[in-house]
């Protein structure tokens, strides 16, 4: 499911006529989301880092919205996938959410 989400192609932002110039930014956005899912699974990071990644994926932060906007996907798709993986338990509001 996450690979399908990350392969999303879209238009970003209005006013930039050459889509080729956006490719590096879309690649960066895809990498950020993919790394967050990887870290949330606690494959190569600490429990604290894993929890931070889960908060990022389940939260409603401007950062998640930014990366999703570059991918032209709705953040709810990311949050839903994280929820399906059971990552909502113990995920409270982060400092960034309160700022």
């Amino acid at each position: 499911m996450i690979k399908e989400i990350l392969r999303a192609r879209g238009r970003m932002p209005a006013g930039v006529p050459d889509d080729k110039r956006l490719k590096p930014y879309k690649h960066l956005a895809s990498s950020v989301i993919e790394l967050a899912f990887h870290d949330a699974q606690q494959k190569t990071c600490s429990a604290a880092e894993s929890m931070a990644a889960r908060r990022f994926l389940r939260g409603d932060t401007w950062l998640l919205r930014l990366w999703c906007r570059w991918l032209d996907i709705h953040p709810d798709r990311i949050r839903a996938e994280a929820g399906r993986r059971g990552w909502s338990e113990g995920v409270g509001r982060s400092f960034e959410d309160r700022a």
Side-chain angles (χ1 to χ4, degrees):
M1 175 69 168
I2 190 62
K3 293 292 183 188
E4 174 190 305
I5 291 171
L6 295 177
R7 273 188 247 133
R9 301 178 67 88
R11 307 152 312 277
M12 251 324 276
V16 179
D18 185 8
D19 194 53
K20 286 184 240 174
R21 294 187 325 193
L22 300 176
K23 189 173 183 176
Y25 299 102
K26 290 181 180 197
H27 180 70
L28 176 61
S30 177
S31 295
V32 167
I33 299 293
E34 190 171 7
L35 182 60
F37 271 95
H38 182 268
D39 288 351
Q41 293 173 358
Q42 202 173 357
K43 295 203 178 212
T44 58
C45 62
S46 69
E49 292 167 329
S50 178
M51 187 57 68
R54 291 176 183 197
R55 282 189 188 108
F56 169 72
L57 294 168
R58 291 288 295 163
D60 186 23
T61 64
W62 68 272
L63 279 174
L64 180 62
R65 291 189 302 271
L66 170 78
W67 297 122
C68 287
R69 182 162 160 75
W70 275 106
L71 294 170
D72 197 29
I73 59 176
H74 198 283
D76 285 348
R77 291 184 69 189
I78 299 295
R79 288 190 284 267
E81 179 63 23
R84 276 192 286 279
R85 294 175 186 221
W87 295 340
S88 57
E89 298 86 26
V91 178
R93 288 177 42 157
S94 68
F95 176 77
E96 184 179 66
D97 293 332
R98 293 179 291 241

